[in-house]
């Protein structure tokens, strides 16, 4: 699984990145977590606000940091696909 946290490097972007790493570890998932700060790369996903989370090429969350339970649900569902 490939996770990309999109954002300019703000506090919320880093918070989402750390939360992703925490949930991946807790679930024992094989996943890479990358913080993408390049605006040209971010624009490719068509999001209008950051932070955003891209799971295997699909935008899962944009404009907010999901709570841990919601993020766990997103990653569990993606792992089952």
């Amino acid at each position: 699984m490939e996770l990309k946290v999109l954002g300019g490097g703000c506090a919320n972007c880093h918070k989402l990145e750390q939360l992703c790493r925490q949930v991946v570890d807790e679930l024992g998932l094989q996943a890479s977590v990358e913080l993408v700060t390049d605006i040209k790369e971010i624009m490719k996903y068509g999001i209008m606000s950051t932070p955003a989370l891209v799971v295997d090429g699909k935008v899962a969350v944009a404009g907010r940091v999901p709570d841990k339970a919601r993020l766990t649900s997103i990653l569990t569902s993606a792992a089952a696909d």
Side-chain angles (χ1 to χ4, degrees):
M1 181 183 310
E2 180 181 61
L3 307 177
K4 292 184 179 184
V5 176
L6 309 179
C10 65
N12 280 338
C13 299
H14 289 290
K15 180 178 177 182
L16 179 54
E17 178 189 15
Q18 291 304 315
L19 186 58
C20 285
R21 292 183 189 281
Q22 179 184 356
V23 172
V24 164
D25 286 345
E26 288 176 4
L27 294 176
L29 299 175
Q30 292 291 328
S32 64
V33 180
E34 176 186 1
L35 177 61
V36 178
T37 57
D38 179 21
I39 191 69
K40 289 180 183 178
E41 183 70 21
I42 292 169
M43 302 234 355
K44 290 178 184 177
Y45 292 97
I47 61 162
M48 300 306 288
S49 58
T50 61
L53 174 63
V54 177
V55 180
D56 292 333
K58 296 178 184 174
V59 177
V61 177
R64 63 185 171 83
V65 177
D67 63 28
K68 187 176 178 181
R70 177 70 183 128
L71 182 59
T72 299
S73 175
I74 290 168
L75 298 184
T76 301
S77 294
D81 288 342

